[in-house]
Amino acid sequence: FAAYTIYRISFPDAFAAASRQLDVTLGTFNTAVLIASSLTMALAVHAAQSGRRGGSIVVWLVWTMILGSTFLGVKAYEYAHKFHEHLVPGPHFVYPGTDAPQAQLFFSIYFILTGLHAIHMIIGIGLLLWLVRDSLRGRYGAHYNAPVENVGLYWHFVDIVWIFLFPLLYLIDRHGAGG
């Protein structure tokens, strides 16, 4: 985030132009998917706290995994599209506008930030699988639900990070050039 801030201030026009190479529709869709996943995770936590054993908790956890996987699938599609367009930093980087070095810097930061976010989503899905397994064994309920709550906090944190990444990366000055 610090590197993004420094370079965004240093190259506002180049970052805004490079940002317009991202698909704001896919970014918006992914934002909605993650907000929905926060709801399903909250419902899983509520089910555990309410003492609804097994099935109810599992349903919400599975929906959270489906939504998280949908997010990752869309992100993989976006990445593949950037590879196809040669907008991946490296020796084969091709930028259609001026300021190619600064645009390459933008895409470097884009891939680092969204890649780290995706890794944390994958970890979250793994944690959800663990919760599903233990929920099916009847481990969680009103008497004991701390793991569900803790994974829920982790999931919400990862979602909140995206709420910051989306406007920083996708919505930079969408109506013109400049900072």
Side-chain angles (χ1 to χ4, degrees):
F1 283 105
Y4 172 89
T5 302
I6 291 166
Y7 291 120
R8 169 75 170 110
I9 291 168
S10 299
F11 309 113
D13 294 336
F15 266 49
S19 171
R20 286 190 284 276
Q21 300 297 313
L22 299 178
D23 189 329
V24 74
T25 302
L26 290 177
T28 302
F29 175 78
N30 257 353
T31 301
V33 165
L34 282 190
I35 290 170
S37 80
S38 276
L39 172 64
T40 57
M41 187 68 228
L43 291 169
V45 170
H46 179 69
Q49 291 171 337
S50 299
R52 296 187 192 121
R53 303 193 126 219
S56 180
I57 300 169
V58 170
V59 166
W60 295 121
L61 293 173
V62 168
W63 270 111
T64 304
M65 287 189 300
I66 290 168
L67 291 166
S69 297
T70 300
F71 175 93
L72 290 172
V74 170
K75 187 53 59 190
Y77 173 81
E78 282 186 279
Y79 281 8
H81 190 64
K82 294 300 160 241
F83 272 92
H84 178 74
E85 293 179 325
H86 301 284
L87 290 173
V88 177
H92 302 294
F93 183 80
V94 176
Y95 184 68
T98 59
D99 299 324
Q102 293 84 7
Q104 187 164 338
L105 187 58
F106 171 84
F107 282 104
S108 295
I109 293 169
Y110 164 80
F111 281 106
I112 290 167
L113 291 174
T114 59
L116 285 171
H117 183 263
I119 289 168
H120 284 88
M121 292 287 301
I122 293 166
I123 291 167
I125 290 170
L127 292 170
L128 291 169
L129 282 169
W130 167 64
L131 291 178
V132 165
R133 183 199 69 195
D134 284 357
S135 292
L136 290 171
R137 294 177 179 169
R139 185 165 183 211
Y140 308 121
H143 67 286
Y144 178 69
N145 52 55
V148 180
E149 289 181 17
N150 290 334
V151 172
L153 289 172
Y154 173 85
W155 192 264
H156 295 312
F157 173 75
V158 173
D159 286 354
I160 287 170
V161 169
W162 180 257
I163 296 301
F164 284 96
L165 291 179
F166 173 63
L168 289 176
L169 297 171
Y170 288 79
L171 302 180
I172 301 173
D173 195 17
R174 296 304 272 191
H175 299 291

